[in-house]
Amino acid sequence: MNVWLSEIWRAWRASFRRPGFLLLATGVLALGIGATSAVFTMIDATLLQPLPYREPARLIAVGQLEDGGVQGASPQQYQHMLQLEGVQSIGIYQGALPVNIAGSGLPVQVPAMHMDRGLLSTLGVQLQLGRNFTAEENRPHGPQAMLVSHDFWLRRFGGRTDIVGQSLRVEGISHTIVGVLPVSFNLGAGDIVLPTAFATNSTDDGTNYTVIARLDDGVEAAAVAEHVQARLHAMYVDAGGDNFWIKQHFGVQNLQTFLNSEIQPTLLMWMACALLLLLIALVNLTNLMLLRTLSRAHQSSVRGALGASLWRLALPSLADGLLAGIGGIVIGQALAAGGLFALRHAMPIDWMPIEWAGGSAIHLGAMAWLLAAGVGIFGSLLATGLGVWRGRHASSFNELREGGRSGLDVRSGRLGRALVVAQMALATTLLCAAGMFVHTLYDASKVNLGFHADGILTFELAPITANYPDALAVQTLSHQLVDRLRLLPGVTDAVATTNLPAGDFFGQFNLGGLHLPGGEQFNAQFRGVGNRFFSLFDIHMREGRAFMRTDVRGGETVAVINQRLADQAYGGHAVGQLIQRGQGKDMLSARIIGVVADTYQFGPLNPHSVVPILYLPLTQTPDDAMGAFRSFEPMRFALKVHGRPDEYRKSILQAVAEVAPDQPIAHVRTMNEVIFNDILSPSYFNLWLVSLFAVLALLLAAVGMYSVMAVAVAAREPEFGVRAALGASPARLVQLVLRGGLRQILLGLLLGVMITLALSRVLRSLIEQLGRHAFDPLAVLGVCALLAVAGVLACLVPALRAARVHPMRALRGE
């Protein structure tokens, strides 16, 4: 044992004296470990760690099934799922919707979640302070109660423990605070929580809610799914008629899978990129260890001739590999911690795990350290072992005879070149993915969104329900506020609207029951807009006219539709036609006066961005449509301004205070910020991360190519000297070295393109979401050119070294 420790210490001391190899090997491994550990920590915190609720494995989401997952449930469906067989308890909630609150500070607009009293007990949540809703508070017209989130409690009340029993005005009505949620509760992401208070035997079939149930002991989710399908199907059959819901399927899904369904594909894509980078790093490390073993070939031959065993001969290389592995673990974990810190500040907030959403950082846990240790130790020793095994032929009589100048033998040189080819192939695959993202976003930047966003400032305003109870009151407020905003210095125009022409993904309002006179029903997105909406956003009027101030209640109801709806419903000839909604005396009938260009509501990267849209004047919007819209979304206001938009925030607040005292506003931002944050930000974030992996892969591939070519040139130095003595020019020697390197580069590129083609089907769903096929020839050509240039540059330094070999030095060596 002492002999072994002595051998290890001697090898480490030699590495510390000349640390170039150690730094290179450690850095290569650290890059792979750091990337993998950071992404694994994200996956562990999001997908693998159990939810912070009691016995989370027994929690399921229940509702309508679509594409293999639960999409939502309605109040009517929920009430028919109460007392469900195989379920211990059940609860329902709705995601955050904007509400106005006042009291204990300035009036503000905050996101409010709605849930019934069964949800917290189903999850097994213990409140930070106070209690859950009572049965009376969860009924219509019951006592007005509310819960507050942990973050809102700290932000608004400074973490005071005496807030239970205090009151806040929500939409002008006083609500008593009865409890504070714990920091781990993240469903709905609301600042406050209100009771659902469904009417008994509700007929509301809007699937805007999520139902969560807790399974009984020993009950399988599949059995509950059968009961759900049978009960809801029977309910709709009993209702009679050709009901849409009769054709639907209902079931259950594990709650953690349900909550992570959107982020999971992205995290798995990141993990695939990180593993690919790790594989490149390990291949590179194997190459470096092979070259390190060959550099000791003469010393090993002498020791072997003196009787040293194979284990003693391999021990110095294994010691180097172990040292590189330990250094790679430590530095890699430091890089991972830095990467997680950067991710927290760059990641879209909707993607953040519970820890980040709660304001704390994600730390590298035990599993991440075990993964790093396993990869670092096992990977480095495996790479070293392979290098020792393939370099064992160098410890031979030839090495003794040549005095350490024999260099790479045929088999060891072939392995080194094969490893370079493998690195180039893997780097090509990763760079092709990054190239696809770059090409997609470049194309997206050239797409005309159908409107102009420059110089437009927007904000949100949810009219306080107690002050503005109906559509007429909201329309009057909007009209007065727009007139006041137009008087602000620097404002050339202003308009009120239910929706902006882009972004606002969750604020889409689908207006069903539309039809032509005597025709079949169809759906379209509803927009209530001011009369200057199309001119302010410069949306092109294809045919007819826009709304005017004379289009008011009492006159003929008019409508404007987009080109998509005109083509689908009217064959492109819509002006002058009628569009209707409903039947009988309550039927809405509007005359189409214009057709406008399509706009990309969700941006050019979404293939479903252009949808049929029905525009109605805000002054003629029906009460039921406005009421339904207000229960989910605030009004939007847009101003055309000169100069810097940030300078108008104070004047906007003053104008709103003059027209509507105590009315808060939210999200004052430019239209360009709306487009970037709501549409492009996730794609740009993915591009940034995948491109980072690709750049690191390119760096590792270049390092691998350089190291192999450098050792190969050093080993062939006598040959180059003889060639120079026989008349070979320096340019000829450079060409000779580059030709050998280019063969490896081209073979690696070919294999990488073939791997990309093979993976195209796996990536198809992700790429189609971005509007591009999985295999992008232009991106592939660009990647091949980039890698070829990088490979040639990596070979150039060794090639120039070969050209400078002096003939007399080689002849003296011979």
Side-chain angles (χ1 to χ4, degrees):
M1 179 62 70
N2 290 334
V3 174
W4 293 0
L5 293 177
S6 177
E7 287 279 6
I8 293 174
W9 173 244
R10 189 180 299 111
W12 285 4
R13 188 171 56 186
S15 295
F16 287 132
R17 280 204 200 101
R18 302 181 64 181
F21 166 81
L22 179 62
L23 292 175
L24 184 59
T26 301
V28 164
L29 187 59
L31 289 177
I33 289 178
T36 307
S37 185
V39 177
F40 174 79
T41 300
M42 287 288 299
I43 291 178
D44 184 46
T46 306
L47 305 181
L48 302 181
Q49 288 293 326
L51 295 173
Y53 308 121
R54 177 171 54 87
E55 297 181 274
R58 293 168 56 192
L59 295 174
I60 56 174
V62 188
Q64 180 190 359
L65 293 178
E66 186 176 331
D67 297 328
V70 171
Q71 297 301 310
S74 70
Q76 179 177 214
Q77 294 164 4
Y78 173 63
Q79 290 180 344
H80 280 77
M81 287 188 284
L82 297 175
Q83 309 302 322
L84 191 64
E85 185 178 350
V87 167
Q88 186 180 97
S89 60
I90 193 168
I92 189 171
Y93 75 92
Q94 184 181 46
L97 304 174
V99 298
N100 301 291
I101 66 169
S104 297
L106 294 174
V108 292
Q109 177 184 305
V110 299
M113 174 185 171
H114 290 74
M115 72 180 186
D116 76 335
R117 67 186 306 268
L119 183 67
L120 294 182
S121 59
T122 298
L123 296 173
V125 171
Q126 298 294 322
L127 290 173
Q128 181 86 23
L129 295 173
R131 60 169 176 82
N132 192 7
F133 297 129
T134 64
E136 291 74 19
E137 291 165 346
N138 201 50
R139 295 189 183 118
H141 312 297
Q144 302 294 332
M146 62 183 292
L147 302 172
V148 298
S149 72
H150 190 275
D151 180 65
F152 184 75
W153 172 52
L154 296 177
R155 191 173 71 243
R156 185 85 173 184
F157 299 96
R160 299 200 327 263
T161 58
D162 61 347
I163 72 162
V164 175
Q166 295 188 23
S167 296
L168 289 178
R169 293 195 306 278
V170 181
E171 296 297 332
I173 300 174
S174 179
H175 285 62
T176 302
I177 299 174
V178 298
V180 177
L181 292 164
V183 66
S184 60
F185 185 88
N186 75 321
L187 296 180
D191 281 341
I192 66 174
V193 180
L194 303 173
T196 51
F198 296 137
T200 305
N201 298 322
S202 172
T203 58
D204 183 357
D205 255 339
T207 54
N208 302 300
Y209 296 84
T210 300
V211 173
I212 297 176
R214 177 174 292 277
L215 297 173
D216 273 328
D217 292 337
V219 175
E220 296 292 334
V224 175
E226 293 179 1
H227 296 316
V228 171
Q229 171 64 21
R231 181 173 293 195
L232 295 183
H233 181 76
M235 178 192 75
Y236 287 115
V237 169
D238 292 342
D242 184 17
N243 197 301
F244 163 81
W245 290 107
I246 295 178
K247 306 174 184 178
Q248 303 306 305
H249 296 279
F250 303 91
V252 305
Q253 187 178 17
N254 175 269
L255 181 59
Q256 186 162 17
T257 304
F258 168 78
L259 295 176
N260 295 322
S261 58
E262 292 187 7
I263 186 62
Q264 180 173 334
T266 300
L267 287 176
L268 294 180
M269 180 191 69
W270 295 352
M271 195 64 194
C273 293
L275 289 175
L276 199 58
L277 183 66
L278 177 62
L279 184 58
I280 296 173
L282 291 176
V283 170
N284 208 330
L285 182 63
T286 303
N287 220 341
L288 291 172
M289 296 311 300
L290 171 63
L291 300 178
R292 182 68 162 176
T293 301
L294 294 174
S295 70
R296 289 196 177 102
H298 183 67
Q299 176 188 356
S300 298
S301 298
V302 173
R303 298 180 67 192
L306 295 176
S309 65
L310 182 60
W311 174 252
R312 290 285 299 276
L313 295 178
L315 200 55
S317 294
L318 292 174
D320 284 343
L322 181 63
L323 185 60
I326 294 172
I329 293 169
V330 175
I331 298 176
Q333 291 297 79
L335 292 175
L340 289 173
F341 179 81
L343 280 175
R344 184 185 179 191
H345 291 81
M347 180 180 290
I349 191 169
D350 294 340
W351 295 5
M352 290 187 178
I354 292 173
E355 289 87 344
W356 288 359
S360 60
I362 289 185
H363 300 288
L364 297 171
M367 290 299 297
W369 278 100
L370 286 175
L371 174 68
V375 170
I377 301 300
F378 179 76
S380 61
L381 292 181
L382 181 64
T384 304
L386 183 60
V388 170
W389 178 71
R390 292 303 290 156
R392 71 190 188 280
H393 300 286
S395 302
S396 62
F397 174 75
N398 288 336
E399 188 65 32
L400 290 173
R401 184 187 61 191
E402 296 294 336
R405 296 188 302 271
S406 61
L408 286 162
D409 69 357
V410 174
R411 280 174 288 191
S412 298
R414 188 183 298 126
L415 175 61
R417 291 189 294 271
L419 292 173
V420 168
V421 170
Q423 289 180 85
M424 295 297 292
L426 295 173
T428 300
T429 303
L430 196 49
L431 280 164
C432 282
M436 177 273 299
F437 274 103
V438 171
H439 195 189
T440 297
L441 291 178
Y442 174 79
D443 287 348
S445 67
K446 302 299 181 182
V447 172
N448 182 2
L449 296 178
F451 66 94
H452 289 164
D454 295 337
I456 295 179
L457 187 65
T458 71
F459 67 90
E460 296 179 2
L461 184 151
I464 298 174
T465 304
N467 299 342
Y468 309 96
D470 53 26
L472 180 59
V474 173
Q475 292 159 0
T476 302
L477 169 65
S478 301
H479 179 76
Q480 293 174 347
L481 185 53
V482 165
D483 287 345
R484 178 64 183 87
L485 291 172
R486 287 174 178 168
L487 297 178
L488 295 178
V491 175
T492 59
D493 204 354
V495 71
T497 175
T498 57
N499 296 81
L500 298 172
D504 198 20
F505 182 83
F506 296 104
Q508 303 308 300
F509 187 74
N510 190 55
L511 201 61
L514 298 173
H515 58 87
L516 279 62
E520 295 184 359
Q521 292 189 357
F522 56 87
N523 297 338
Q525 293 294 321
F526 160 74
R527 305 284 186 269
V529 300
N531 62 294
R532 300 292 301 274
F533 177 83
F534 302 114
S535 61
L536 185 142
F537 285 101
D538 199 16
I539 300 175
H540 179 59
M541 183 66 62
R542 294 282 181 86
E543 189 178 1
R545 69 169 178 88
F547 299 132
M548 299 185 298
R549 293 184 73 98
T550 55
D551 296 321
V552 296
R553 285 176 180 253
E556 181 185 24
T557 304
V558 294
V560 172
I561 63 176
N562 70 340
Q563 190 67 52
R564 175 63 61 89
L565 181 54
D567 293 339
Q568 289 183 358
Y570 298 91
H573 304 285
V575 173
Q577 303 291 323
L578 290 176
I579 187 167
Q580 297 176 335
R581 177 174 178 250
Q583 302 291 337
K585 63 178 183 178
D586 296 327
M587 181 177 65
L588 168 69
S589 183
R591 179 77 58 185
I592 298 175
I593 60 172
V595 177
V596 295
D598 293 328
T599 58
Y600 284 82
Q601 184 70 40
F602 311 126
L605 299 178
N606 192 316
H608 308 295
S609 189
V610 177
V611 295
I613 298 178
L614 169 66
Y615 299 94
L616 293 176
L618 200 58
T619 51
Q620 293 185 338
T621 299
D623 291 350
D624 64 335
M626 179 59 74
F629 176 82
R630 287 184 66 191
S631 57
F632 293 101
E633 289 294 315
M635 295 291 296
R636 274 79 177 182
F637 290 81
L639 293 76
K640 192 79 171 180
V641 300
H642 289 302
R644 295 179 56 189
D646 294 341
E647 298 173 351
Y648 291 85
R649 181 181 178 87
K650 185 176 180 180
S651 57
I652 289 174
L653 290 172
Q654 291 175 346
V656 173
E658 291 177 13
V659 175
D662 298 329
Q663 173 66 62
I665 65 174
H667 299 132
V668 181
R669 52 184 181 166
T670 67
M671 193 63 206
N672 284 321
E673 289 174 335
V674 172
I675 294 172
F676 182 80
N677 293 331
D678 293 358
I679 295 175
L680 298 178
S681 179
S683 296
Y684 274 101
F685 182 74
N686 271 329
L687 168 66
W688 175 81
L689 198 60
V690 174
S691 297
L692 176 62
F693 287 140
V695 169
L696 294 177
L698 177 63
L699 176 64
L700 292 177
V703 168
M705 173 65 74
Y706 171 79
S707 59
V708 168
M709 294 305 297
V711 172
V713 166
R716 296 175 62 187
E717 189 173 288
E719 174 193 344
F720 294 137
V722 171
R723 287 178 178 272
L726 294 176
S729 66
R732 176 68 176 171
L733 296 177
V734 170
Q735 182 183 4
L736 182 66
V737 174
L738 290 180
R739 187 187 301 121
L742 282 174
R743 280 197 295 266
Q744 300 168 51
I745 294 170
L746 294 177
L747 183 56
L749 292 177
L750 179 61
L751 289 176
V753 172
M754 293 172 63
I755 294 173
T756 303
L757 275 171
L759 293 177
S760 61
R761 291 187 178 181
V762 178
L763 297 173
R764 186 172 303 279
S765 60
L766 174 66
I767 307 308
E768 286 180 351
Q769 187 179 2
L770 296 174
R772 178 172 295 283
H773 294 296
F775 187 78
D776 184 352
L778 189 58
V780 169
L781 288 175
V783 166
C784 290
L786 178 63
L787 277 171
V789 171
V792 169
L793 291 176
C795 296
L796 192 58
V797 174
L800 293 175
R801 187 180 303 155
R804 290 195 296 268
V805 173
H806 198 280
M808 292 305 299
R809 178 182 173 188
L811 293 176
R812 282 196 300 268
E814 289 298 322

